[in-house]
Amino acid sequence: MSKEPFIFFGIVILLLTVVLLIQYFYFKRQQKLFFTSIQDKNYNIIRDVETDIEIYSKLKYKFVHRMADIVFLKDEIFIIIHKQCIKSGKILQISKSSDFHSGVSRKLICHSKLKVSEQLEIKGQFVDFILTQNFKITLHLKNKGFDIASVLN
């Protein structure tokens, strides 16, 4: 029996592992930068929130259901999306302001925030390359002990 297929699969598994480790440490570093940038500010963090993210435009539609940590800072909301079983991932900034915080992967412009049966529903848009896309994010805050009315404007 030839050893070449085993060597090939071993190299593929090793490369995948290295890529996942690089991604993990990159997102951990981004989170550290983010929390360093807001450390002197008054913020609330809610851990392990079910999050539905819908992104749609005339050309495509995408729906993602993930767990995330949510950071509320004045008029800004930050969503730290968990990657599969790992609690480090992209940080989305949802805001009407022009401020951009360190470590944030993508900034989304908020148009509206609504309370819908113990859920916070956020709608807005962002530019992805040259394509303007709309989004709707639903944060399931039931049983999290958070007053949704405090972030509505």
Side-chain angles (χ1 to χ4, degrees):
M1 191 175 223
S2 177
K3 294 182 181 182
E4 288 141 5
F6 294 115
I7 293 172
F8 174 75
F9 287 120
I11 291 171
V12 169
I13 290 172
L14 179 65
L15 287 175
L16 285 173
T17 303
V18 168
V19 168
L20 289 174
L21 282 172
I22 290 170
Q23 185 182 34
Y24 171 78
F25 286 113
Y26 172 77
F27 286 129
K28 274 296 193 190
R29 183 177 175 278
Q30 293 300 97
Q31 279 187 21
K32 187 174 182 179
L33 285 172
F34 169 70
F35 281 109
T36 301
S37 75
I38 66 168
Q39 72 184 358
D40 297 334
K41 299 177 181 168
N42 186 21
Y43 65 89
N44 291 324
I45 186 166
I46 302 174
R47 304 236 183 242
D48 300 324
V49 174
E50 288 183 54
T51 307
D52 297 331
I53 302 173
E54 297 177 49
I55 299 172
Y56 48 92
S57 67
K58 292 181 181 178
L59 300 176
K60 62 182 179 178
Y61 175 83
K62 182 178 180 182
F63 178 79
V64 178
H65 178 81
R66 291 261 169 93
M67 296 298 283
D69 294 337
I70 312 299
V71 177
F72 294 96
L73 174 69
K74 290 184 184 179
D75 292 335
E76 298 176 306
I77 300 172
F78 299 92
I79 301 175
I80 304 169
I81 300 171
H82 297 179
K83 290 283 201 181
Q84 286 89 16
C85 304
I86 303 170
K87 287 195 172 190
S88 67
K90 291 183 180 181
I91 301 174
L92 305 177
Q93 177 180 353
I94 303 169
S95 172
K96 291 182 182 178
S97 75
S98 60
D99 295 341
F100 195 82
H101 292 272
S102 299
V104 171
S105 302
R106 173 162 288 162
K107 182 165 186 207
L108 310 174
I109 306 300
C110 176
H111 293 306
S112 69
K113 295 183 236 175
L114 299 169
K115 179 180 178 179
V116 180
S117 66
E118 298 304 317
Q119 298 174 356
L120 179 60
E121 188 176 279
I122 307 163
K123 292 183 180 180
Q125 61 184 190
F126 65 97
V127 177
D128 193 17
F129 299 107
I130 58 170
L131 182 65
T132 299
Q133 298 190 36
N134 298 311
F135 70 86
K136 180 174 105 176
I137 298 175
T138 305
L139 305 175
H140 302 270
L141 296 169
K142 188 175 183 178
N143 301 325
K144 294 292 182 179
F146 182 75
D147 180 23
I148 296 172
S150 68
V151 295
L152 298 176
N153 49 351

